[in-house]
Amino acid sequence: MSERPLDLGWVRVFEAVGRLGSITAAARALGLSQPAVSYVVRELETQLGTPLLVRGHRGSTLSPAGEVLHRAAVAAVAEVDGAARAVRRLSRRPVVRLFTDYGFASFWMMPRVAAFRRVRPETDVHIIASAGADPGLDGAEDVAVLFGAGRDFPPDSVQLFEECIRPVCSPGFAARHGLGGAPARIGNLPLLHLESTPQPRWFGWSDWFAATGLARGPAASDLSLNTYGLVVQAAIADQGVALGWAGLIDGALADGTLVAIGPPLSRAETGYWLAPGSTLSEAARDLIAWILAEARGSVPT
């Protein structure tokens, strides 16, 4: 009898035959024809020179030789399937899920994603943005960057930048209304509002007017919008005066798309906070370290 190595294409077929006790059932489970499975078993028996199945009217059972070979097939299938799963995990690009609101995603994170990809090209960042993102974390994210007060976040959270607002508008709007050196005129102009809950977590126009002592004149076609991106777009489009959050509108101020036209208002206990997830991969730790470094470099002086 030949001692040449067996062709291993039979392993999964024979494992299924022995496990299911039927050539027909094995063929169905594997998506093969019944004659194809029968052929594999006959070829095995020919190569080994002994019956591997005891065939009956109601199916097939393993012969003593078949039992020996089937135990090896079961172990081999389990080992190969486990190795295949490991290989697939190795071949997958690491993914980090970042949960945040539309403002941070649009104005802070998206302009910087390309820079992160340059230093971590093997990592994909999935940004999950929500208009109603609040400090309530559900553990589904790897990293969360959200707006709120420090007390709202876990102890290991880090503040990226504190809340600081100032009125902003387009350069053309400022020129037409003489706002360069006269912020008192803001109260008589259309104001752009970010819609909020009855107890907002961030500053609004009423806070700014109260803090500066300036008067709010008759409402002149104010506009309320439900995302900060729309507020900024409306300001750029000459629709009125918006409140600009430091950290989000820095780029627009730097390139002249928007201009600041009034004094700032800030509070140290609120702002954007980074909250790490409960279990961090190496890729998530890399993203956190990169965001912290970028935020330290972007804080206005």
Side-chain angles (χ1 to χ4, degrees):
M1 181 171 57
S2 172
E3 294 295 331
R4 67 181 175 16
L6 290 175
D7 176 1
L8 295 182
W10 59 269
V11 174
R12 194 175 296 277
V13 172
F14 192 67
E15 185 277 333
V17 171
R19 172 167 48 86
L20 298 172
S22 165
I23 287 177
T24 300
R28 187 181 305 115
L30 296 172
L32 301 173
S33 67
Q34 189 268 352
V37 174
S38 294
Y39 175 79
V40 169
V41 174
R42 285 198 305 272
E43 282 294 298
L44 274 175
E45 291 174 331
T46 298
Q47 291 184 57
L48 293 171
T50 186
L52 299 174
L53 298 179
V54 178
R55 295 164 175 82
H57 294 296
R58 296 188 176 182
S60 302
T61 57
L62 294 168
S63 69
E67 291 278 3
V68 172
L69 190 63
H70 187 257
R71 283 195 294 272
V74 170
V77 167
E79 186 73 17
V80 171
D81 286 349
R85 287 192 294 271
V87 168
R88 291 189 181 103
R89 284 195 297 271
L90 288 173
S91 65
R92 292 193 196 109
R93 291 167 59 89
V95 174
V96 183
R97 295 161 299 175
L98 171 65
F99 180 62
T100 188
D101 60 31
Y102 284 137
F104 186 86
S106 300
F107 296 106
W108 197 94
M109 193 66 201
M110 289 307 299
R112 293 170 169 81
V113 166
F116 179 73
R117 286 175 176 162
R118 284 195 294 272
V119 297
R120 289 289 184 272
E122 73 286 356
T123 300
D124 285 335
V125 180
H126 288 186
I127 300 174
I128 307 164
S130 169
D134 58 42
L137 308 178
D138 61 10
E141 63 285 322
D142 296 310
V143 185
V145 175
L146 299 171
F147 189 93
R151 63 181 176 274
D152 299 325
F153 298 96
D156 58 348
S157 300
V158 180
Q159 190 176 32
L160 297 183
F161 34 82
E162 68 180 41
E163 183 178 20
C164 180
I165 61 166
R166 62 190 310 164
V168 298
C169 65
S170 70
F173 189 92
R176 283 196 302 277
H177 295 281
L179 295 174
R185 297 181 181 178
I186 293 174
N188 298 317
L189 297 172
L191 302 181
L192 304 172
H193 300 266
L194 175 61
E195 292 178 358
S196 182
T197 61
Q199 295 182 326
R201 291 179 284 114
W202 49 78
F203 282 138
W205 274 112
S206 60
D207 300 301
W208 186 82
F209 280 110
T212 58
L214 297 176
R216 173 65 165 115
S221 62
D222 284 7
L223 186 61
S224 293
L225 301 144
N226 66 348
T227 70
Y228 192 58
L230 292 177
V231 171
V232 173
Q233 289 177 27
I236 293 172
D238 293 352
Q239 298 300 302
V241 183
L243 289 174
W245 266 262
L248 300 187
I249 50 91
D250 298 351
L253 292 176
D255 65 19
T257 305
L258 293 174
V259 293
I261 55 171
L265 173 63
S266 63
R267 54 185 169 186
E269 69 272 17
T270 61
Y272 275 99
W273 293 75
L274 184 149
S278 56
T279 303
L280 293 177
S281 64
E282 182 179 352
R285 294 181 188 277
D286 287 342
L287 178 63
I288 289 172
W290 178 84
I291 289 176
L292 292 176
E294 285 287 312
R296 292 185 186 108
S298 68
V299 174
T301 58

